[in-house]
Structures are given as structure tokens and as C-alpha cells.
Amino acid sequence: MNALLGRTRAAALGLLTQQLTITDIARELDISKSSASEHAKALRDARLIVTQCECKAVWHSCTPLGLDLLTGSS
């Protein structure tokens, strides 16, 4: 998966098996919020994650396709 997504983006996808914010992703991966946001956008564009707004929070989490990629399922 690292070869397909890159190490940091693959790590971000792995984190998103639970709902997280951009701040959470940035903190966990020790990257800037802007970098975390760029990774989330790329994952969202690939339909590997979804983004949901809830009040003032924006949550990101894996789609079934993203989970399949993580687990190697087809």
C-alpha cells in the first residue's frame, strides 16, 4: 500500500479507521495541518475517505473502499 499511496498518506488512511479531524491527523503523524489537509483531500478524491461536518467539527473516516485497501480485501 505504501508504494501506491506513499508512506504518509497510507499512514493517514490507517488512522482514519476511526473518525478524526485534520488536527488529530496532523498531531498523530507529526505533520502540519496544511499537509494533513492535502493528504485528506487526495484520499477523499480517491474515494478512500469521507468527510462529515458536525456542528463546528469536520470529521474524516475511511469508506468501505478505503477499509478494503487497508485489509487487502477485494
Side-chain angles (χ1 to χ4, degrees), residues 19-61:
Q19 285 190 326
L20 296 174
T21 65
I22 290 297
T23 301
D24 297 329
I25 298 166
R27 184 181 322 113
E28 289 294 321
L29 298 179
D30 196 27
I31 59 176
S32 69
K33 287 188 208 178
S34 63
S35 181
S37 182
E38 288 177 25
H39 288 301
K41 181 183 180 328
L43 292 168
R44 189 173 44 255
D45 288 349
R47 298 189 173 132
L48 298 175
I49 68 167
V50 292
T51 299
Q52 298 172 326
C53 297
E54 188 176 298
C55 295
K56 294 182 181 181
V58 179
W59 298 98
H60 308 276
S61 60

Side-chain angles (χ1 to χ4, degrees), residues 60-72:
H60 308 276
S61 60
C62 282
T63 63
L65 179 62
L67 291 171
D68 285 349
L69 183 61
L70 286 170
T71 63

